[in-house]
Amino acid sequence: MSQSAIIAPPGDPARATQLRGILLLLAAIMTFTLMDATAKHLTQTYHPVQVVWVRFVANLVIVALLVGPRLRRTLRSTRPGIQFCRALTQLGSVGLFFTALQHIGLAEATAIMDINPVLITLAAALFLGERIGLRRALGIAAALVGALIIIRPGAGVFQPAALLPLLGAFTYAAGAVLTRLARGDSTATSILWSAIVGTLATSALVPFFWQPIAAGDAWAFLLLGLFGTVAQALLIRAFALAEAAAIAPFGYTGLIWAGLWGWLFWGTVPDRWTILGALIIVVAGLYVWMREARAMQRMDP
């Protein structure tokens, strides 16, 4: 990563572009948490399989409309097997997270899921041969401790559903590693594969869990698909404008939004253990990010 990607003089075009990337990422994270809040609302009445199905179907329809006549060409992949597995990991992370929202608070689920950045670092070391180092290994361990503080296994308040976003974080990290392996494909190709695989897989399951959609809930299902697609588009644009290492830490603002929506819509406030665990996860994630940013800076001539 070049030094100018981190520090650019006032008025520098690179600085303005990076700022736009940060603003787009902040908007994407807020929109994703709105999608999650909508999913939590729906899973109180409908089975998570039906909610996940709507999310992927809406995504597929919108992506297909945007790609238009380039659909067949966009679907071609240089690594179809990798793309299929990557799509399954995305389906797994969404399904696990939405299922958890049936039983635990939005802030708790989001905090546990937010260990995925450090898990991506761990997965890259295990499966891609990237060096991890002692300090980053300690950061990863600290993030896992933070997640365990929130989950509190063995405590009287332990909720087994809290393990679902933890598993979701692992599947998300696996998907990130697979995305690196399929980096020869375009972003549009990866999105299209995820949408198709997710739609086909959930379409095979949804008849067993289908519940007629009440007229009063149609707006929520529409918002679910809209929020998911808009958030994904904003996220892609953000990472296209600015370097990932420069804007990734702003992803932790999702914890703030998740706590706010939980308080506004359900009147729930995270307890002190959740707040402590979330702080540990954020600090550990930022520390690992800083170590990676410095390593990339040394590698850049």
Side-chain angles (χ1 to χ4, degrees):
M1 181 175 57
S2 62
Q3 184 71 17
S4 61
I6 303 176
I7 303 174
D12 190 288
R15 185 188 182 94
T17 300
Q18 182 172 302
L19 179 60
R20 286 198 298 273
I22 291 171
L23 293 175
L24 285 170
L25 181 70
L26 291 173
I29 297 302
M30 184 190 70
T31 310
F32 269 125
T33 60
L34 283 170
M35 179 193 72
D36 295 337
T38 307
K40 180 171 178 60
H41 166 72
L42 289 171
T43 54
Q44 306 309 301
T45 306
Y46 302 91
H47 196 279
V49 170
Q50 185 172 352
V51 179
V52 174
W53 177 79
V54 171
R55 187 249 193 244
F56 277 103
V57 168
N59 195 9
L60 177 60
V61 170
I62 295 174
V63 170
L65 289 174
L66 291 175
V67 172
R70 296 179 289 110
L71 182 63
R72 183 174 296 181
R73 186 169 73 244
T74 304
L75 188 58
R76 292 197 193 103
S77 169
T78 58
R79 307 290 295 274
I82 296 294
Q83 284 288 5
F84 179 75
C85 293
R86 190 195 64 82
L88 288 179
T89 60
Q90 185 179 23
L91 173 61
S93 60
V94 173
L96 289 165
F97 188 77
F98 281 12
T99 303
L101 292 177
Q102 264 192 323
H103 308 284
I104 64 175
L106 182 60
E108 288 80 1
T110 302
I112 296 168
M113 191 77 175
D114 270 354
I115 69 167
N116 69 74
V118 296
L119 291 181
I120 291 171
T121 301
L122 176 61
L126 292 176
F127 301 109
L128 300 182
E130 296 183 9
R131 292 189 61 186
I132 190 169
L134 177 61
R135 293 181 180 180
R136 275 185 280 182
L138 291 174
I140 293 168
L144 291 172
V145 169
L148 289 175
I149 289 174
I150 299 172
I151 297 171
R152 279 167 281 174
V157 295
F158 171 63
Q159 169 59 262
L163 296 174
L164 296 176
L166 182 62
L167 292 174
F170 276 92
T171 58
Y172 185 94
V177 172
L178 291 171
T179 299
R180 293 189 192 183
L181 294 176
R183 57 182 172 267
D185 292 341
S186 68
T187 302
T189 299
S190 295
I191 293 173
L192 189 57
W193 271 81
S194 294
I196 290 175
V197 172
T199 298
L200 291 176
T202 53
S203 294
L205 294 174
V206 77
F208 300 101
F209 303 98
W210 183 262
Q211 179 180 336
I213 297 174
D217 292 327
W219 65 270
F221 279 99
L222 290 173
L223 279 180
L224 182 76
L226 181 63
F227 283 145
T229 304
V230 170
Q232 195 170 36
L234 289 171
L235 190 70
I236 292 168
R237 184 59 181 159
F239 281 99
L241 284 175
E243 293 193 34
I247 66 175
F250 294 94
Y252 287 111
T253 56
L255 287 169
I256 299 172
W257 291 114
L260 178 62
W261 305 144
W263 173 65
L264 284 177
F265 302 145
W266 293 281
T268 58
V269 178
D271 61 23
R272 65 179 183 273
W273 293 108
T274 299
I275 294 172
L276 174 62
L279 286 174
I280 293 174
I281 290 170
V282 171
V283 171
L286 291 177
Y287 178 76
V288 171
W289 165 78
M290 289 172 61
R291 298 297 305 176
E292 290 187 344
R294 288 174 184 173
M296 291 173 65
Q297 208 173 341
R298 286 195 297 268
M299 290 170 60
D300 192 335

